[in-house]
Amino acid sequence: ITNRNAATLKTNFEGSDGSGGTYYNNWYANVAATMPGVSTTANAPSVTVDGSTGLVTVVVFWKLPSEPSGASAHNYTVVAQVK
């Protein structure tokens, strides 16, 4: 990503309707291929960008194949400010 403007990041990752912009969809495909138990209906990662402050929050979820189907997914959250 070459343009780190907060508003542009918001559009690229959240999309105009909040459903996932182009960069999010590409990133999501990599996460889903790598992390076990991730799909569009369960445990999808999220990216939120505050368009005015540049505060970016990324949450990833995963579930090991050996875990019971009713078990809660694990998650990791990271928050960073992009300037």
Side-chain angles (χ1 to χ4, degrees):
I1 300 172
T2 56
N3 186 339
R4 294 185 179 150
N5 173 285
T8 301
L9 286 173
K10 184 172 183 67
T11 299
N12 288 340
F13 282 94
E14 291 185 25
S16 60
D17 60 1
S19 64
T22 303
Y23 284 93
Y24 171 83
N25 293 330
N26 293 335
W27 174 76
Y28 166 79
N30 288 326
V31 171
T34 307
M35 301 290 285
V38 174
S39 72
T40 55
T41 57
N43 308 323
S46 67
V47 177
T48 56
V49 180
D50 184 317
S52 60
T53 65
L55 198 63
V56 179
T57 303
V58 178
V59 183
V60 293
F61 301 89
W62 69 95
K63 192 170 179 182
L64 299 176
S66 61
E67 293 181 299
S69 60
S72 297
H74 306 276
N75 67 73
Y76 182 77
T77 302
V78 64
V79 179
Q81 187 171 31
V82 178
K83 291 186 174 187

